[in-house]
Amino acid sequence: MRQKDELFDNHHFMVHSSRLAAAGFLPGDELLIDRKALPVPGAILLLELDGKLLLRRLGQQQHAWQLLPLHSGLASFEWPFYQPLPLVGVVKKILRTVAA
């Protein structure tokens, strides 16, 4: 997944990977990201980790957040509650262009 035009284009990000189709995201979809929303379990988050943008579903365990992949090719990982999430924002809407 790459940032559209390499900028925060009005909080929209374009999906370029077909690997996210199982999660309902298709290549060409634009994701509306709310940078002020608080993450809650079950939300899909856009994170920036080591200079890369990641989409993960937020889960919660007893002592840590669980960052779950949106397709089976990636592993989940835990993020301690005491460390701030590297959050860009929360996915609020999928904007899909219908082919004519």
Side-chain angles (χ1 to χ4, degrees):
M1 179 169 177
R2 296 179 298 190
Q3 272 180 280
K4 183 181 178 190
D5 299 328
E6 304 302 316
L7 299 172
F8 289 108
D9 186 27
N10 294 322
H11 314 292
H12 290 238
F13 290 80
M14 185 171 286
V15 174
H16 292 278
S17 174
S18 60
R19 295 181 300 182
L20 298 172
F25 301 112
L26 302 175
D29 285 353
E30 290 187 54
L31 305 181
L32 177 61
I33 307 297
D34 185 341
R35 295 180 66 199
K36 295 181 180 181
L38 294 175
V40 296
I44 296 176
L45 309 181
L46 180 64
L47 306 160
E48 184 175 1
L49 192 60
D50 296 329
K52 295 180 182 178
L53 293 173
L54 308 170
L55 283 174
R56 292 288 191 271
R57 185 172 305 278
L58 185 64
Q60 185 175 352
Q61 295 185 337
Q62 187 173 1
H63 300 289
W65 295 115
Q66 190 173 25
L67 298 170
L68 306 166
L70 299 181
H71 65 84
S72 61
L74 299 172
S76 63
F77 59 96
E78 292 182 2
W79 196 269
F81 288 141
Y82 63 84
Q83 290 183 341
L85 285 166
L87 184 66
V88 174
V90 177
V91 175
K92 287 296 182 179
K93 189 174 186 178
I94 303 170
L95 306 171
R96 183 164 292 149
T97 303
V98 180

